[in-house]
Amino acid sequence: MSFVINNISKSYEETRALRDVSFETNEGELFGLIGPDGAGKTSLFRILATLIFPDEGDASVKGFDIRKDFREIRKILGYMPGRFSLYHDLSVKENLEFYATVFGTTIAENYDLIKDIYAHIEPFENRLAGKLSGGMKQKLALSCALIHRPDVLILDEPTTGVDAVSRKEFWDMLKRIQKEGITILVSTPYMDEAALCDRVGLIQHGKLLSVSKPGDLRFDEAMILYSFRCKSGIYEYLSKIRGLQGCSSAFLFGDEIHLLVNGKKEAEELERAIKGWNVPALSLKQITPGIEDYFMALMKSEKHDDLMSEEH
Amino acid sequence: MRVLLTLLRKEIKQIFRNRMMLPMIFVMPIVQLTVLVYTANLEMSNIEVVVVDQDLSQYSRGLVSKLDGSPFFVVKGSVASYEQAEALLLSDDVDAIVQIYSGFEQNLINEKEADVQLIINAINATEGSLINVYSNMIIRDYSNNLRTELSGFAGQGMALNIEIIPSYWYNPLLDYKIYMFAGILVILVTMIGMFLSALNLVSEKELGTAEQINVTPVKKYQFLLAKLLPFLMIGLFELAFGLLIGVFLVDLPIRGSLLLLFSVAFVYLLVTLGLGLFLSTISSTQQQMMLVAFFIWVTFILMSGIFTPTESMPVWAQKINFINPLSYFMRVIRMILLKGSGFQDIARDFYGLLIYSVLILSLAIGNYRKTT
């Protein structure tokens, strides 16, 4: 097992960034950590990258303890922080060379591993890293994180702020890196990327809500998901729908509302109620849920529980 | 070793790619040494005085022309009443009033004694006391001349007169520029040591590049050493460059051994670099670091004895100077350059700085955290 995380908790003054998080990843797995901003993804990654210590719990990377064997971990780990952290005033090649030497290796030695990625930026080898575009910066950062052929790779929101085409390209690269036997732990706020991982963990408010394979995500048999569209005033309808009996959750999804109903009878009632509103250009139909729907529903219920428990 | 070399190469590349760096290295010493040496000057000239001469006699006019003739004073004019003179002093048109009462000449001839009143603007206390000293000197000189003149021929009625003839060692012409030049060299070297390396380290923290280094096997002493060495070299270069300017510009004497001077400077730079690195380990932004460093820097400079000797400071201030590296180097550089002191004379300061450098560097390295 590459990453073993046991009951990790971490607080910053008032905020509890991580609460009792535990999970394990398999050898060579591409594990995704999905959650909104401020969920605790970065804190967890910084703990695994030996940059901060947890308050409670323990963790290990490839069998090395994050407290005792942090020196060993730093040799086998590639870490790409969310913010571009290479030297702006060194060129592309100088950055890569620098990280290769620091890890006691050379570009030539591991060139085959980064070839696919580095080929994109090689024509700009002599350009200063600070002058690269966002997508190229990200490719350089990934190249630098891989240049010492790490056993495990931690990528903190690598696709944030990257256009859709580059995002797809980036995930293709990750798949190829994974084939080299490198375990990858990646975080993202984009739920559609969850489907590309072997397994995903859903994290919110510092709590790990679930870990599962993307294909295994299923609603309860009785749950029915509707898509609601209308011409205008969608926010008003959202609050109206939320007020309806039998609607267990409703959320905006692009320009439509997805609403979840528990039970066939309730669904019929709800359908009748909405039709009674005489919504202009209404489209209301049952749909098959995607990963996003599953997560939204899960997060929604968690938030609800949180509020309840804080009131008590 | 290879890691250290790589780190050093990276630092040097970055230093020389920084557009501000070369002007800083060359322009700063030229400006500081040429401008400050002449402006941070305790010699006064062109003190403007107004005279209220109520005697209008030969002797009173003699005194006025004596003042005017000295290099220190410029007599801006003569007014009839004290009120007019006071108005000029209040409006800051003159620095001092010389009032000669009527009967000045009469009293001198009859009673061998007469009063002259001196009113000095002492908003700047140093300036005020200097004006007092200068004018006393001139008036005493004038009265000595008169005494000879009035006593007719030598020997008769001559008062016993003891004259002190001072001999100014190490700086016979009392050239203030030489003294100041050495002091400003210290400031220059300190600035390089304390600010440049510290800013460099904090900016790595700010940009997040330090974090990327922290997840590599680079050891923290390697990382900090690579930050320290280039600036140590720049600091020593600045000293050499400054000395060169001094020799050509103000005839700066170099009486002691240059090797000794550079050895002390080396240790001194380790202290200031260590101090700067320590400050950057406790701050997370350049702004924080600059504020703290600036506070320490100004305090240390003013207490270092650049203007006034540390021995004349209160005892508690002298105790604080124990941790002020500038006061050590300020003393040593003047001793070596102006006095030609050898190692024996500065051994105490040298060892003091050496211990200081070991302490502060261990503190800086110990305080730098790769993991928090």
Side-chain angles (χ1 to χ4, degrees), chain B residues 204-222:
Chain B
E204 285 225 21
K205 274 184 166 183
E206 251 179 347
L207 291 170
T209 49
E211 190 165 293
Q212 190 79 64
I213 292 284
N214 288 350
V215 293
T216 68
V218 168
K219 304 221 164 38
K220 58 182 180 180
Y221 82 86
Q222 293 172 322

Side-chain angles (χ1 to χ4, degrees), chain A residues 46 49-53 74 79 81 83 85-87 89-91 94 98-99 101-103 105 128, chain B residues 2-3 6-7 10 13-14 17 204 206-209 211-218 223 370-372:
Chain A
R46 284 167 60 86
T50 74
L51 286 167
I52 51 175
F53 287 128
R74 284 174 187 163
Y79 173 59
R83 205 169 119 211
S85 303
L86 301 177
Y87 292 100
D89 45 3
L90 294 184
S91 72
E94 284 166 342
F98 175 73
Y99 282 101
T101 323
V102 154
F103 280 103
T105 176
L128 294 187
Chain B
R2 214 176 107 203
V3 171
T6 309
L7 286 166
K10 164 203 150 250
K13 264 184 201 158
Q14 285 183 306
R17 270 176 206 176
E204 285 225 21
E206 251 179 347
L207 291 170
T209 49
E211 190 165 293
Q212 190 79 64
I213 292 284
N214 288 350
V215 293
T216 68
V218 168
F223 184 58
K370 284 184 80 178
T371 313
T372 45

